[in-house]
Amino acid sequence: MSKPEGEHRLHARLQPAAGDHSEDAYRKRPGEILDRYERGGHVDKVDLLTGKVTPEGHAVPEGKRAQQAELNRAWLKAERERLQAGKGEPLVTADEDAIQRFLRTQGRFGSANETDLQAKAAAAQEYAAKLAAEYLQEAGGGRQEAGTATHASRLTPHAAATRLSFLPVSRADMAARGWEQCDFVLVTGDAYVDHPSFANAVIGRVLEWAGFKVGILSQPDYTDPEAFKALGKPRLAFLVSAGNLDSNLNAYTAHKLPRSDDPYTPGGKPGKRPVRATIVYCNMIRRAFGKVPVIVGGIEASQRRFSHYDYWDDKVRRSVLLDSNADMLVFGMGETQIVELAHRLNRGEPLSQITDVRGTAFVKKDAAFLEAPEYIERFGRPVYTLDHEELLPPIEAAGGRQQAAGGTVESKIQNPKSKIAAADRVQEHQTEGPAQVPAYRRNYAVAFKKIFDQQDPVRGRPVVQRTGKLSVIQLPPARLQSEEELDRWYDLPYTRLPHPDYEAQGGVPAWLTTQHSIVTHRGCMGSCTFCAIWMHQGRTIQSRSAESIVQEAEAITHMPSFKGYISDVGGPTANMYGNYCSVQQTLGACKDRDCLLPDPCPALRLHLDKQLDMLKRVRAVPGVKKAFIASGIRHDMLIDDKATKGQGDAYIENLAAHHTSGHLKVAPEHLSDDVLTRMRKPGLHKYEEFKKRFVEASKRVGKEQYLVAYFVSSHPGCTMDEQIRLAEYFKKNNWSPEQVQDFIPTPMTPATAMFYSGHDPETGEFVYTPTTMREKRRQRALMQFTKPEFHGRVRKALREAGRKDLIGHHEGALVKPGNEEDWDDDNPARPAGIGSGPATLKKRGNPYRGKKRR
């Protein structure tokens, strides 16, 4: 946003006290800026309209707020007029003036924002409707384009109308729209479901709305380059995503056994996408088209943008940018990035020269441009994390001489006989103490900390990691999105249905559970170390308006499959809707403190009244019988009467009365304070207090309802003694938990850094971590000690831990006496194609090889 002539920018460093927003509290850090607009923040609209802050984020004394509110309203009006003036026609048919108008509205802030997109989208939709009408009229006369003689091109008018509601998936669909070529072809590992819960549908609709022609190439045959030519070569770029899940996580369980199904594939059939789909798809595109622009995105690419520990390979892999040979990576929620990239590509800028779009990463031989004064003024001084080679086992020189773990690439080149030492497989031996952790693994925690600290849209700076002679460069995350922008992305014309081609294949299972759900916000103020939300959506809550959510609820009621029940109204954490922290908006999320631990921060504004009002309006939509909250809640926030301003009990009662289907999901995760500290989760006493209040609230509204508690086994920090204590707690409370999840070290999370490095990246302390499959399976068995199939393993674990007192017929015993056993595949071979298994298994064979487990 441009500012009036001479108006000073807001410069700041982390505030000395939460909530201190006086001008004296803001000081410029040498070489950095923390301008709200350039560094990605936005001001809460409620605070603007009430005059609590200026448009620049400064606090306003109480006596001057009425006057400031008038000034803010005038500013908002002028801003809307400015945005309206920048609107133009779709760029697929626009002239150079329209392009210049778009770029002028971007200013120099490097991300698309509230601009001319709405007018572009309306014109594009009108144009598409015109093409559809012409096609339907001609289809009745037997029209068939040359070269499209497929089953899809011989559609009845009704079938054509149904298909035309979706983005094109075939040449026939393109011909129906009069397209010779797509601007973008989006290659995805998921089935094409045109629903806002599916990331590829969102990106496709956003680009369509921006005025571009987008085709969807869903689950192509990854063994055949010709399959990637189905929609032809796009005019601007290929967009590649593995899908809504990491493809390894989608294919294998925590025990590295093949999953029996894929919910994102028609009919739930596994095997339709490759493992490491991003890499495979990109390389097949190169084989098919050569040097064509390729942009990767989605959760898999986003979490693998730097060197990362790969659980399925049991080693550190380099950035996915290098293995995929992609030109650019879009990380996080990609709407603003992809729209700006699309318009700049359309203007003729080579993708290799676009190095100033927030929320992107790329590879360069020379990173010196980051040190230019104008670049530092805009993005901040770059941060250099440890090189990829410093995270690998030492180089083994000829003659057996060992070099340092941080050996340089030049040393490898000078000695061509040197080679990387045999990988130190952390899953094949249990690390008992810090002396057993080599230096290169400790380096991983250091490198992760440097990267992690810059993943904030306001205070984040560029991050550079060298790999050989190349540098992987990540710019700061995309700026925070306003309420109006989020509304726009979710108000696009989704059909909310799987593509009709899948009907004969049994539909898409993942859609069945999400078809009647509503996403209310993005981001999570929690700091769970095992969760990827921090690195993907961020800690700052970005909420939709109640009007937009109600509008989506109304659309759901018109779906043929709707029976009156909205399955979920929530987000990463349902009760964070509307939460706001002015510190996060202007200075970024605090580096040295947690938003919720040990108690909610005083600067946090929960706005439970806002969510209660939104939920009430959703329930009032005609046709809605129930609107459930199934995405889970953060229970410790609701029992803090100071943070909730006394509204916590009212919220819990409303939850019990209207939004629970008999069971409510809550995640205490563990009993031990030591383990919960490593998880960054609240103590169990807060769960017990919430449970008490929820049960009482359920009785008051005349219902018998229960909590479904989620627990995590074998998390970093969890020793066998801690797990036995948890089992004793379950026994004492007559509790047999069913919702037990084995910890899976997914890329780029703090807990994964602990798993591989053996150290907490935040504190540098050694962390005991169950890494072998035997240890992981024993800990899970102790959580579910009531199941007969686990009894032998529980007995052996208890005996080796010196707790034979828990084996017997007495009241406190976990299991009765009997045989002790461990399963034969305690160290199973890594999945085929991503690393070989231990030598012992190669000799004797894996009894479970070829078998599939859920």
Side-chain angles (χ1 to χ4, degrees):
M1 189 198 83
S2 60
K3 294 184 279 291
E5 187 71 18
E7 182 180 334
H8 69 278
R9 284 186 314 202
L10 170 66
H11 294 286
R13 58 177 296 164
L14 283 177
Q15 76 285 8
D20 181 4
H21 298 288
S22 62
E23 292 196 31
D24 292 338
Y26 296 96
R27 298 193 300 276
K28 182 177 180 179
R29 182 183 295 169
E32 285 191 45
I33 61 170
L34 272 171
D35 185 281
R36 181 176 62 77
Y37 299 107
E38 292 203 11
R39 302 307 297 274
H42 69 266
V43 173
D44 183 60
K45 193 164 149 185
V46 175
D47 287 351
L48 274 177
L49 294 176
T50 56
K52 292 182 179 179
V53 295
T54 67
E56 288 74 42
H58 292 301
V60 177
E62 191 168 350
K64 297 182 179 180
R65 288 180 180 176
Q67 180 183 359
Q68 185 62 45
E70 292 296 327
L71 294 174
N72 289 348
R73 278 191 280 271
W75 176 82
L76 285 169
K77 181 180 179 182
E79 185 71 358
R80 291 192 191 97
E81 291 174 353
R82 183 187 70 81
L83 297 177
Q84 186 68 26
K87 295 179 179 178
E89 297 300 315
L91 286 183
V92 290
T93 57
D95 56 19
E96 187 66 20
D97 288 341
I99 299 172
Q100 292 301 327
R101 283 199 303 274
F102 170 81
L103 293 174
R104 279 199 301 273
T105 62
Q106 301 310 292
R108 54 193 289 270
F109 309 132
S111 281
N113 52 23
E114 196 81 19
T115 61
D116 51 346
L117 302 183
Q118 189 171 25
K120 289 182 172 69
Q125 291 293 323
E126 183 179 350
Y127 179 63
K130 178 182 177 183
L131 289 176
E134 291 175 355
Y135 175 79
L136 290 176
Q137 185 177 2
E138 296 179 16
R143 172 181 181 268
Q144 182 170 309
E145 294 289 344
T148 61
T150 66
H151 74 281
S153 67
R154 297 189 292 271
L155 300 169
T156 65
H158 176 73
T162 301
R163 294 184 70 86
L164 284 170
S165 302
F166 294 81
L167 297 174
V169 298
S170 67
R171 292 273 192 171
D173 293 340
M174 293 169 60
R177 291 161 173 78
W179 296 2
E180 294 290 334
Q181 185 182 29
C182 291
D183 295 323
F184 294 94
V185 172
L186 201 163
V187 183
T188 171
D190 288 342
Y192 173 32
V193 179
D194 191 34
H195 188 285
S197 293
F198 291 75
N200 296 304
V202 174
I203 295 299
R205 289 296 186 184
V206 166
L207 283 170
E208 177 192 46
W209 176 58
F212 294 94
K213 302 173 182 175
V214 185
I216 304 289
L217 187 56
S218 173
Q219 297 185 321
D221 182 355
Y222 56 88
T223 65
D224 182 9
E226 293 300 314
F228 291 79
K229 299 180 180 179
L231 297 179
K233 181 180 179 180
R235 182 172 67 90
L236 297 176
F238 275 100
L239 309 177
V240 177
S241 169
N244 270 20
L245 285 179
D246 184 291
S247 55
N248 278 297
L249 191 61
N250 184 277
Y252 298 105
T253 68
H255 296 169
K256 297 186 177 181
L257 298 173
R259 296 191 188 273
S260 59
D261 62 352
D262 180 351
Y264 291 93
T265 295
K269 297 178 180 178
K272 292 290 288 184
R273 85 183 79 213
V275 173
R276 311 197 195 288
T278 301
I279 296 173
V280 174
Y281 287 159
C282 287
N283 283 285
M284 295 303 283
I285 289 170
R286 295 293 186 211
R287 288 177 60 183
F289 294 100
K291 191 61 179 176
V292 61
V294 176
I295 302 172
V296 297
I299 189 69
E300 178 170 288
S302 183
Q303 297 302 105
R304 296 171 181 266
R305 54 190 182 268
F306 289 107
S307 297
H308 55 278
Y309 172 70
D310 187 285
Y311 173 69
W312 294 271
D313 256 5
D314 197 10
K315 69 177 183 180
V316 173
R317 294 178 64 97
R318 63 183 187 169
S319 167
V320 72
L321 271 167
L322 297 168
D323 285 339
S324 67
N325 198 25
D327 298 287
M328 182 170 283
L329 184 152
V330 171
F331 66 90
M333 309 303 284
E335 297 98 343
T336 56
Q337 302 98 297
I338 201 63
V339 170
E340 182 177 357
L341 289 172
H343 284 290
R344 292 176 66 172
L345 288 170
N346 190 68
R347 195 176 95 167
E349 288 188 60
L351 192 56
S352 60
Q353 295 181 17
I354 301 177
T355 58
D356 60 350
V357 177
R358 287 175 159 277
T360 63
F362 42 85
V363 176
K364 295 292 181 186
K365 289 185 178 179
D366 185 4
F369 68 94
L370 296 171
E371 300 286 355
E374 61 273 14
Y375 215 90
I376 292 175
E377 174 70 7
R378 182 173 173 186
F379 295 113
R381 192 173 297 280
V383 174
Y384 293 84
T385 188
L386 299 184
D387 296 355
H388 173 72
E389 288 74 21
E390 295 180 84
L391 312 180
L392 301 178
I395 295 173
E396 188 177 307
R401 182 169 53 88
Q402 292 288 320
Q403 297 179 4
T408 62
V409 179
E410 287 73 13
S411 65
K412 301 177 200 176
I413 297 173
Q414 291 169 5
N415 185 3
K417 293 184 179 180
S418 65
K419 60 182 180 179
I420 298 294
D424 177 19
R425 304 289 187 183
V426 300
Q427 296 175 37
E428 294 178 9
H429 57 84
Q430 185 63 50
T431 303
E432 300 293 342
Q436 298 177 359
V437 181
Y440 65 89
R441 279 172 55 191
R442 292 197 297 271
N443 285 348
Y444 187 88
V446 175
F448 177 85
K449 171 65 173 171
K450 284 179 173 287
I451 295 169
F452 187 75
D453 281 348
Q454 304 307 320
Q455 304 309 313
D456 184 90
V458 179
R459 59 171 168 75
R461 294 186 281 164
V463 182
V464 182
Q465 184 176 57
R466 294 188 179 94
T467 302
K469 294 185 176 181
L470 299 175
S471 292
V472 176
I473 300 170
Q474 178 213 278
L475 295 186
R479 62 175 182 78
L480 300 170
Q481 298 191 54
S482 67
E483 182 180 89
E484 290 79 3
E485 286 173 303
L486 276 186
D487 288 351
R488 175 165 292 166
W489 307 143
Y490 287 96
D491 291 347
L492 296 177
Y494 305 99
T495 64
R496 303 187 69 88
L497 299 168
H499 194 275
D501 283 353
Y502 303 140
E503 291 181 12
Q505 304 175 50
V508 181
W511 170 77
L512 295 175
T513 59
T514 59
Q515 58 177 317
H516 303 140
S517 65
I518 300 175
V519 176
T520 60
H521 62 283
R522 294 176 178 175
C524 182
M525 287 178 165
S527 52
C528 306
T529 58
F530 50 80
C531 182
I533 291 292
W534 270 30
M535 298 288 278
H536 197 64
Q537 293 189 10
R539 288 171 62 185
T540 304
I541 303 301
Q542 301 161 77
S543 301
R544 296 169 61 187
S545 70
E547 290 75 18
S548 174
I549 294 169
V550 169
Q551 181 178 329
E552 185 171 353
E554 292 171 347
I556 290 175
T557 63
H558 297 295
M559 295 178 65
S561 59
F562 185 66
K563 306 298 182 184
Y565 300 95
I566 295 178
S567 59
D568 185 29
V569 183
T573 304
N575 58 312
M576 289 186 184
Y577 173 79
N579 285 8
Y580 173 74
C581 174
S582 57
V583 174
Q584 290 182 343
Q585 305 291 349
T586 54
L587 303 180
C590 300
K591 289 172 62 175
D592 56 352
R593 67 178 301 170
D594 192 285
C595 297
L596 302 176
L597 298 177
D599 297 301
C601 175
L604 178 61
R605 302 293 179 264
L606 295 187
H607 290 311
L608 291 180
D609 54 340
K610 184 176 180 180
Q611 187 180 10
L612 288 171
D613 177 69
M614 177 270 291
L615 292 171
K616 182 178 179 180
R617 294 175 62 178
V618 170
R619 296 197 305 269
V621 172
V624 174
K625 299 177 183 177
K626 282 281 187 179
F628 298 119
I629 291 178
S631 50
I633 62 169
R634 184 73 186 232
H635 58 276
D636 54 319
M637 295 172 63
L638 296 175
I639 62 172
D640 190 301
D641 294 331
K642 185 176 180 180
T644 63
K645 297 181 179 179
Q647 295 181 321
D649 286 340
Y651 184 94
I652 294 172
E653 186 166 323
N654 181 76
L655 193 66
H658 303 293
H659 304 289
T660 305
S661 60
H663 298 84
L664 179 67
K665 294 179 183 177
V666 182
E669 310 294 8
H670 211 277
L671 163 74
S672 166
D673 288 339
D674 290 341
V675 179
L676 292 171
T677 297
R678 301 303 178 189
M679 293 181 175
R680 312 287 195 269
K681 295 285 285 186
L684 189 68
H685 65 284
K686 293 194 174 184
Y687 165 77
E688 292 175 334
E689 173 63 24
F690 174 79
K691 179 181 178 181
K692 175 184 174 183
R693 296 194 188 190
F694 178 77
V695 171
E696 290 174 352
S698 296
K699 290 179 179 178
R700 286 196 299 270
V701 298
K703 294 184 177 181
E704 185 178 352
Q705 299 182 132
Y706 306 94
L707 297 181
V708 177
Y710 282 74
F711 290 87
V712 174
S713 68
S714 62
H715 190 276
C718 187
T719 64
M720 190 60 70
D721 288 341
E722 300 287 5
Q723 201 70 352
I724 292 172
R725 280 185 57 214
L726 182 62
E728 289 181 285
Y729 174 83
F730 290 158
K731 177 72 174 182
K732 179 181 177 181
N733 290 275
N734 195 27
W735 202 354
S736 179
E738 295 295 326
Q739 302 299 330
V740 174
Q741 299 169 316
D742 290 325
F743 168 67
I744 302 179
T746 54
M748 297 287 282
T749 65
T752 298
M754 295 182 212
F755 182 93
Y756 177 70
S757 72
H759 290 76
D760 189 327
E762 188 67 32
T763 64
E765 299 170 344
F766 173 75
V767 180
Y768 175 86
T769 303
T771 57
T772 64
M773 203 61 69
R774 171 173 283 117
E775 183 85 351
K776 288 169 68 69
R777 286 177 169 172
R778 284 183 177 180
Q779 291 209 8
R780 182 186 178 95
L782 280 165
M783 271 194 174
Q784 297 181 303
F785 63 88
T786 59
K787 293 190 173 184
E789 62 266 31
F790 292 145
H791 284 179
R793 174 158 293 192
V794 170
R795 294 185 191 103
K796 191 163 189 177
L798 291 173
R799 181 183 61 78
E800 292 187 3
R803 294 301 306 273
K804 290 195 294 183
D805 58 299
L806 296 177
I807 303 173
H809 298 279
H810 55 281
E811 184 179 353
L814 298 182
V815 291
K816 297 177 181 179
N819 294 331
E820 297 179 3
E821 61 181 8
D822 275 323
W823 297 336
D824 291 335
D825 64 334
D826 269 336
N827 285 301
R830 280 173 288 280
I834 58 172
S836 57
T840 54
L841 278 175
K842 290 179 183 177
K843 293 178 181 178
R844 76 184 183 214
N846 182 352
Y848 285 95
R849 183 175 290 122
K851 297 183 181 181
K852 298 180 179 181
R853 295 284 185 88
R854 291 188 69 88

